[in-house]
Amino acid sequence: MSDDTSKRGPGDAQRINVHEDYEVEYWTRVLGVSEDKLRETVKRVGIMTDDVRKASGKA
């Protein structure tokens, strides 16, 4: 199944895919963080949305 890049939100709301530009754009806006901060946080805590929210202070 290919990704539909016309989507404005995540394909899976429980996981953050930093390899899809539209997901990075969505999560940086929702979490109020920079792209660099999002990528660093995902690298540190993993792709699970709840973990990234907690690590970003947005839980």
Side-chain angles (χ1 to χ4, degrees):
M1 182 170 153
S2 64
D3 287 330
D4 179 357
T5 58
S6 66
K7 289 183 180 179
R8 295 288 182 205
D12 180 350
Q14 294 180 355
R15 292 172 180 80
I16 298 174
N17 182 351
V18 295
H19 302 291
E20 293 292 347
D21 291 340
Y22 68 94
E23 285 205 32
V24 171
E25 182 180 334
Y26 174 83
W27 288 112
T28 56
R29 188 176 63 250
V30 167
L31 297 173
V33 297
S34 69
E35 180 177 340
D36 289 339
K37 180 68 173 176
L38 177 68
R39 290 181 185 279
E40 180 259 302
T41 304
V42 167
K43 187 175 182 178
R44 187 169 36 90
V45 302
I47 63 171
M48 300 307 291
T49 305
D50 288 343
D51 296 337
V52 175
R53 284 182 186 275
K54 287 176 190 169
S56 300
K58 309 293 181 181

